[in-house]
Amino acid sequence: MNLLNNYFLNSAFFAQSGTESAVPTAVSQVVDSAVPIQAWTNSMLVPIVLGAVGYLFIQHGVVKSKAYFAAGAVAVLLAVGFALGFTPGTFDSYVLMAFCAVATGGGIGFLTAREPVYAALGFATAVLSVCGVLFMQSALFIAAATMIVYAGATIIIFLFVLMFAQQTELRTYDVQLNNPLVAAAIGAILLATITMCVTKNNAILPVRVDSTRVMSAASLPDSLSSEAGKEASKKLDAIDPNLRYVPKLTAGLGRSMYTDYLLAVELAGTVLLVATIGAIALAQRTTETQS
Amino acid sequence: MNETTQNLLVFGGVLFVIGMVGFLTRRSLILMFLSLEMMLSGVSVNLIAFSRHHQNYQGQILAVMVLTIAACEAAIALALVVSLYRRKATLDVAAWDDLSETLIPKVIETPQTLEEPAMEFPKLTPAGLDPLSRPISADFDAQSLENGESVKANTLEAGTHA
């Protein structure tokens, strides 16, 4: 209640002083989707069940070592389905859906590959495509950082350890899995629940812009699609048609991070330091042989 | 905007569920940690979608934090995996079942390997002389066929070899 009161007070204050930014107006128009949502929800259940059954088939050896074929087929099917389901779409949305489909295909390859190295490669594919998705969502810094940290560092180190521990033939623990039936059932139920909750009518409220917070630098600047961004690009066009308007997304992220979330950044740095010390201490060889 | 957010939430859920199923089924320690990372990337997609939806930076900052913690977790997990591998020389989680409850009955597993596909050699068309049907004599000289004369320079050597 206290928080709610504060929120109302703040919004009243900012409505009076007129410092509301121009960004919310661009988003506040409710966009109703063209596809009837209930039908979409029910039709989403079919691929989930099919995916679970296909996963069980692959794990039980009915389909042998065709993991990457299955992943590619799923990716193509998803891409075609997305393209059909969202037909008046922009080019951006198609690129986004293609990234989503490739990431899902890589994830399925990761899930169904027998050899651990192939599974790691599938994971790399999925993570790189997720970077593309983040990029399309104008989270440029996160996309770059994910690419460097996950695909650059984590995957390479995991591959090193895999090859350090990997023998030539497949091990039993790579082939025989723990309860694939139970896991697939849990996964299918969870995914169906998530899908039904998310795609329900009015599940996601159209706007809850937080630019009314006091002392907050945490609001996206005018991106190209918003009204303010269009105005800015028009201004630049009037000066010189060759100029292009670039929204300062990363700069705003840094400003918000080092003003609103300074304590969290310091804590994250401390955690990184502790993790470094812990990793070095854990990986040291014991000196029993010397004594 | 609304529709894109919904699609991305479903996509994040798909990644999360893939990671969860992988974590539940895989038995190799490293692949279990990779499944965890997959779940975290699904969460990151969710956060970014909401950040875009609400037009603020809070989701992105939370995603940065998730990335940081994932990096820490990967470092410590690798150190643990390496030291565990030094102990028992296997990446199987079941090797460390002694640490769990003793009440759970142990599953005796039958070793199972994938059958390797049989190697197929290419069938070449036969060329040249068949040494089985027409054995080459010890004093055979290839140059004598070309020149039409018998040069038996190497006869002594070939004889000693035979």
Side-chain angles (χ1 to χ4, degrees), chain A residues 170-242:
Chain A
L170 277 175
R171 292 311 191 87
T172 314
Y173 55 83
D174 283 332
V175 179
Q176 262 187 347
L177 301 180
N178 267 343
N179 300 324
L181 184 64
V182 179
I186 292 175
I189 290 172
L190 180 61
L191 188 53
T193 317
I194 288 174
T195 312
M196 289 177 73
C197 287
V198 163
T199 57
K200 209 171 60 181
N201 261 333
N202 295 326
I204 302 166
L205 297 179
V207 188
R208 223 206 66 216
V209 176
D210 215 2
S211 64
T212 51
R213 279 180 65 189
V214 191
M215 300 288 290
S216 170
S219 56
L220 278 186
D222 24 36
S223 61
L224 273 180
S225 56
S226 71
E227 293 293 324
K230 279 174 189 164
E231 280 179 17
S233 57
K234 268 180 198 167
K235 276 181 194 169
L236 278 188
D237 271 347
I239 298 170
D240 186 353
N242 289 325

Side-chain angles (χ1 to χ4, degrees), chain A residues 120-196:
Chain A
L121 288 182
F123 177 76
T125 312
V127 164
L128 285 178
S129 311
V130 164
C131 286
V133 171
L134 302 187
F135 193 81
M136 297 303 291
Q137 285 296 300
S138 68
L140 308 181
F141 176 74
I142 317 283
T146 308
M147 216 177 288
I148 292 168
V149 171
Y150 271 105
T154 310
I155 285 288
I156 297 300
I157 297 174
F158 271 100
L159 274 180
F160 274 152
V161 177
L162 265 183
M163 289 169 179
F164 161 68
Q166 185 70 24
Q167 270 67 31
T168 49
E169 78 272 15
L170 277 175
R171 292 311 191 87
T172 314
Y173 55 83
D174 283 332
V175 179
Q176 262 187 347
L177 301 180
N178 267 343
N179 300 324
L181 184 64
V182 179
I186 292 175
I189 290 172
L190 180 61
L191 188 53
T193 317
I194 288 174
T195 312
M196 289 177 73

Side-chain angles (χ1 to χ4, degrees), chain B residues 34-103:
Chain B
L34 279 186
S35 308
L36 269 185
E37 306 276 326
M38 182 81 89
M39 289 164 79
L40 285 179
S41 70
V43 172
S44 293
V45 168
N46 263 9
L47 289 174
I48 298 298
F50 273 124
S51 158
R52 180 78 173 158
H53 183 71
H54 294 306
Q55 295 278 310
N56 59 23
Y57 281 114
Q58 297 170 2
Q60 295 199 17
I61 287 162
L62 209 48
V64 171
M65 297 301 157
V66 167
L67 206 65
T68 313
I69 300 302
C72 297
E73 172 231 318
I76 292 186
L78 276 175
L80 278 175
V81 165
V82 168
S83 56
L84 288 183
Y85 183 79
R86 281 200 195 119
R87 283 288 174 91
K88 287 198 177 178
T90 176
L91 287 179
D92 194 359
V93 226
W96 301 94
D97 268 352
D98 307 340
L99 298 178
S100 75
E101 290 183 49
T102 50
L103 294 177

